[in-house]
Amino acid sequence: EAGVAQSPRYKIIEKRQSVAFWCNPISGHATLYWYQQILGQGPKLLIQFQNNGVVDDSQLPKDRFSAERLKGVDSTLKIQPAKLEDSAVYLCASSLFVLTSGGDTQYFGPGTRLTVL
Amino acid sequence: DAKTTQPTSMDCAEGRAANLPCNHSTISGNEYVYWYRQIHSQGPQYIIHGLKNNETNEMASLIITEDRKSSTLILPHATLRDTAVYYCIVRQGGQGGKLIFGQGTELSVKP
């Protein structure tokens, strides 16, 4: 079974530039997540999609970050304009939508490492 | 904020059991204990989860105390490939529970 795919793996940009990250979840996974992981910290949830609808974007800095999941499969996360503090690894995860008592298991991609100069 | 407390780092000899503790004294009745790990330059990987009973799978065992205020993840025979940051997460059951990662425990398995 193919895992969660992300591209690019690395990106270097200057502040005030724009950048976009792409995620392809595991086939059949209805739920998709974007996390931000700053060096030395655990991942922080930015946004959660259920199919192509947003479930939770309370931690997404909406003045500069946007995300979409057209057709309920692939997703893109965009930053415009980037700031120095956006330097981080951006992780995408996906899970099946199952109403089990323990909740879903999230499967993570390898991440995109963003450096803002 | 994360609802768990873990040691910052631990060492373990290769081939020995690695016992990673986690305190979650404010856990509520419908919250599960999840463990993920993150090997360097990779995304987090699910290990195991439990509610109140001890759990075991092919990767690890999870021991939860009777009062549910703490738990221990056990890797029975640690290998060098188990070197990673291990995250203990308390999460609501059902589809709405978020994974809120803390700092985790950096486990170093040494030859």
Side-chain angles (χ1 to χ4, degrees), chain A residues 19 26 31 34 38 41 66 101:
Chain A
V19 65
I26 294 173
T31 310
W34 283 101
I38 293 171
Q41 299 180 17
S66 64
S101 56

mmCIF file of all heavy atoms in Angstrom, chain A residues 19 26 31 34 38 41 66 101:
data_model
loop_
_atom_site.group_PDB
_atom_site.id
_atom_site.type_symbol
_atom_site.label_atom_id
_atom_site.label_comp_id
_atom_site.label_asym_id
_atom_site.label_seq_id
_atom_site.Cartn_x
_atom_site.Cartn_y
_atom_site.Cartn_z
ATOM 1 N N VAL A 19 4.717 30.225 -1.459
ATOM 2 C CA VAL A 19 5.137 28.831 -1.616
ATOM 3 C C VAL A 19 3.905 27.944 -1.492
ATOM 4 O O VAL A 19 2.922 28.304 -0.818
ATOM 5 C CB VAL A 19 6.194 28.463 -0.551
ATOM 6 C CG1 VAL A 19 5.621 28.517 0.858
ATOM 7 C CG2 VAL A 19 6.812 27.107 -0.847
ATOM 8 N N ILE A 26 -3.309 8.562 1.315
ATOM 9 C CA ILE A 26 -3.497 7.150 1.018
ATOM 10 C C ILE A 26 -4.868 6.963 0.367
ATOM 11 O O ILE A 26 -5.853 7.589 0.802
ATOM 12 C CB ILE A 26 -3.372 6.305 2.294
ATOM 13 C CG1 ILE A 26 -1.930 6.380 2.816
ATOM 14 C CG2 ILE A 26 -3.786 4.860 2.053
ATOM 15 C CD1 ILE A 26 -1.715 5.725 4.179
ATOM 16 N N THR A 31 -10.115 11.567 5.447
ATOM 17 C CA THR A 31 -9.666 12.664 6.305
ATOM 18 C C THR A 31 -8.214 13.011 6.009
ATOM 19 O O THR A 31 -7.368 12.122 5.876
ATOM 20 C CB THR A 31 -9.815 12.286 7.787
ATOM 21 O OG1 THR A 31 -11.130 11.776 8.010
ATOM 22 C CG2 THR A 31 -9.618 13.505 8.671
ATOM 23 N N TRP A 34 -3.071 18.772 7.776
ATOM 24 C CA TRP A 34 -1.794 19.457 7.603
ATOM 25 C C TRP A 34 -1.282 19.871 8.983
ATOM 26 O O TRP A 34 -2.021 20.467 9.777
ATOM 27 C CB TRP A 34 -1.928 20.702 6.739
ATOM 28 C CG TRP A 34 -2.044 20.443 5.269
ATOM 29 C CD1 TRP A 34 -3.166 20.450 4.515
ATOM 30 C CD2 TRP A 34 -0.954 20.166 4.376
ATOM 31 N NE1 TRP A 34 -2.858 20.181 3.202
ATOM 32 C CE2 TRP A 34 -1.512 20.011 3.081
ATOM 33 C CE3 TRP A 34 0.431 20.043 4.518
ATOM 34 C CZ2 TRP A 34 -0.735 19.732 1.950
ATOM 35 C CZ3 TRP A 34 1.191 19.757 3.400
ATOM 36 C CH2 TRP A 34 0.615 19.605 2.134
ATOM 37 N N ILE A 38 7.877 22.885 13.946
ATOM 38 C CA ILE A 38 9.040 23.744 14.106
ATOM 39 C C ILE A 38 10.139 22.933 14.770
ATOM 40 O O ILE A 38 9.869 22.056 15.598
ATOM 41 C CB ILE A 38 8.669 24.994 14.919
ATOM 42 C CG1 ILE A 38 7.700 25.852 14.100
ATOM 43 C CG2 ILE A 38 9.890 25.790 15.325
ATOM 44 C CD1 ILE A 38 7.088 27.008 14.854
ATOM 45 N N GLN A 41 10.211 20.876 18.246
ATOM 46 C CA GLN A 41 8.863 20.791 18.805
ATOM 47 C C GLN A 41 8.086 19.650 18.148
ATOM 48 O O GLN A 41 8.470 19.138 17.102
ATOM 49 C CB GLN A 41 8.108 22.114 18.585
ATOM 50 C CG GLN A 41 8.756 23.314 19.247
ATOM 51 C CD GLN A 41 7.960 24.584 19.002
ATOM 52 O OE1 GLN A 41 6.792 24.548 18.613
ATOM 53 N NE2 GLN A 41 8.590 25.721 19.243
ATOM 54 N N SER A 66 -3.341 29.296 3.397
ATOM 55 C CA SER A 66 -4.599 28.784 2.844
ATOM 56 C C SER A 66 -4.398 27.335 2.433
ATOM 57 O O SER A 66 -3.277 26.909 2.151
ATOM 58 C CB SER A 66 -5.056 29.625 1.659
ATOM 59 O OG SER A 66 -4.127 29.520 0.597
ATOM 60 N N SER A 101 -14.362 3.438 18.458
ATOM 61 C CA SER A 101 -14.281 4.110 19.747
ATOM 62 C C SER A 101 -12.923 4.741 19.983
ATOM 63 O O SER A 101 -12.800 5.754 20.651
ATOM 64 C CB SER A 101 -14.596 3.115 20.859
ATOM 65 O OG SER A 101 -13.709 2.002 20.774
#
